[in-house]
């Protein structure tokens, strides 16, 4: 990691994933796991809606998405303890390997015969559980893998995986289902998971945290971050002592009730309004991922406090989600693609302004618990949202669901703006200024996307 030292601007011109091979390898593994998970999720939802579920397609797809997000919510305390007490390399490698083996077994069963729906839902539960361990573990390990000056750049690359997964997995999932059925999707997922496990297996993590923990000599930030949580505080106390961040997370959690419903609404819209096939679903997913990538690339350049920018993006997202419900059938596909791109851009901007801020504001010893709680809070409403909008999708037109999403997001945008007006502490402004500067520098040298983790 000598290239990341005090070499100044010339060293920073090289993308972090190239000058820090250790972080680059771990980031590549996350791209593979999240792309696999997204391909399975989107492909299975389209398989249920277009080929398997019949008249109950809304409930079937909503229940599937609910199952896919339960582990991040239910397992949050266990995940936090696991990440705090076990070597990060082992946690990352084992979770990817387990996901790969489960996907491989499911692929073999699916290729031999049409499996019961329970098998598909069970596979979704296990794969989501593995991802619920992998993602917060990698986030916690960022300060261990990179130097302090590179935290924002590392956060950008780490969070870029969700955009890349949305582009790759969301694009491939429906297309592979239409071409080869569910078996082809699951087989591709198995290969990606196992490759990610192999990448982690051949990557050496820094030995300093473990040695420092053994010697009981917390002389640097990295050892403290890795070892201190073993006697960590209860998760509820972490958020209780971060009131501003807690209010912001609650705002995004409320927004997720309506924004994440897009993963149910858009396939239903494609099937019942556009009367299109999997290629249209793939185009919508790709537009959402591309928009997030562009928003993350440009979000650090937007002026204003993070809560003001976030509130404006939520208001713009409400317009984007509601627009497909107002147009006719002939213009529906082009409008939907544009709306998904705009909604993704808003998600990317929000991520740039908030996630790096959280990395700076949360004490190192609380990061394992905080990021597990953050993932749980952001995903807590997703099962409910999926089930509710899935049930509504069997009784209400998809256009009406688009309008319901838009109306639901607007009050949350107002609440986030009001939170910033009343409760933004001085430290937030200072940290955000540094985060924005570093993010702009990283974006100028590499693709640095930072979506806020919308509870997928």
């Amino acid at each position: 990691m000598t290239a990341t030292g005090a070499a100044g601007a010339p060293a920073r011109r090289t993308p972090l994933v190239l000058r820090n091979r250790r972080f680059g390898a771990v980031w590549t593994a996350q791209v593979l796991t999240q792309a696999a998970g997204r391909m399975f999720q989107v492909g299975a939802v389209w398989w249920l809606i277009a080929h398997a579920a019949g008249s109950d397609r809304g409930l079937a797809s909503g229940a599937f998405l609910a199952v896919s997000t339960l582990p991040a919510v239910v397992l949050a305390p266990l995940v936090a303890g696991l990440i705090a007490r076990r070597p990060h390399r082992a946690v990352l490698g084992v979770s990817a390997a387990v996901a790969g083996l489960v996907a491989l077994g499911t692929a073999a069963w699916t290729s031999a015969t049409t499996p019961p729906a329970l098998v598909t839902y069970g596979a979704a539960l296990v794969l989501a559980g593995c991802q619920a361990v992998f993602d917060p573990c990698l986030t916690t390990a960022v300060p261990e893998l990179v130097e302090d000056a590179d935290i924002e750049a590392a956060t950008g690359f780490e969070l870029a995986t969700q955009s890349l997964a949305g582009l790759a997995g969301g694009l491939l999932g429906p297309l592979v289902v239409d071409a080869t059925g569910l078996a082809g999707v699951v087989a591709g997922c198995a290969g990606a998971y196992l490759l990610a496990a192999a990448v982690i297996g051949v990557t050496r993590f820094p030995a300093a945290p473990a040695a420092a923990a053994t010697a009981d000599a917390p002389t640097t930030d990295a050892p403290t971050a890795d070892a201190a949580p073993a006697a960590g505080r209860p998760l509820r106390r972490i958020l209780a002592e971060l009131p501003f961040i807690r209010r912001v997370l609650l705002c995004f959690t409320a927004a997720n009730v309506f924004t994440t419903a897009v993963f149910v609404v858009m396939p239903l819209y494609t099937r019942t309004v556009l009367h299109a096939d999997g290629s249209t679903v793939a185009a919508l997913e790709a537009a959402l991922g591309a928009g997030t990538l562009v928003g993350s690339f440009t979000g650090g350049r937007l002026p204003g406090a993070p809560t003001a920018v976030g509130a404006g993006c939520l208001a713009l997202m409400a317009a984007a989600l509601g627009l497909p419900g107002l147009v006719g059938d002939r213009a529906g596909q082009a409008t939907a693609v544009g709306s998904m791109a705009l909604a993704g851009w808003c998600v990317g901007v929000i991520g740039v302004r908030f996630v790096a801020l959280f990395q700076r504001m949360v004490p190192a010893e609380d990061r394992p618990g905080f990021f597990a709680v953050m993932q749980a809070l952001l995903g807590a409403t997703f099962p409910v949202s999926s089930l509710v909008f899935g049930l509504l999708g069997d009784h209400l037109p998809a256009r009406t669901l688009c309008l319901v999403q838009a109306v639901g997001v607007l009050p949350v945008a107002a609440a986030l703006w009001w939170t910033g007006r009343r409760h933004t502490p001085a430290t937030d402004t200072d940290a955000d200024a540094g985060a924005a500067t570093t993010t702009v520098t990283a974006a100028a040298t590499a693709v640095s996307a930072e979506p806020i983790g919308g509870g997928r």
Side-chain angles (χ1 to χ4, degrees), residues 5-50:
R12 299 259 170 89
R13 293 196 184 100
T14 304
L16 179 62
V17 292
L18 297 180
R19 55 188 165 86
N20 186 330
R21 296 180 181 178
R22 192 156 39 208
F23 175 77
V26 176
W27 176 76
T28 300
Q30 191 184 35
V31 172
L32 289 169
T33 59
Q34 286 201 348
R38 190 73 187 129
M39 183 170 71
F40 178 71
Q41 186 182 83
V42 176
V45 166
W46 179 243
W47 176 72
L48 288 168
I49 289 176

Side-chain angles (χ1 to χ4, degrees), residues 82-114:
L82 178 66
I83 295 172
R85 291 171 173 82
R86 301 296 180 186
H88 294 153
R89 178 172 175 262
V91 173
L92 293 170
V94 170
S95 60
V98 170
L101 293 175
V102 170
L104 188 62
T106 305
W109 190 341
T110 306
S111 62
T113 182
T114 301

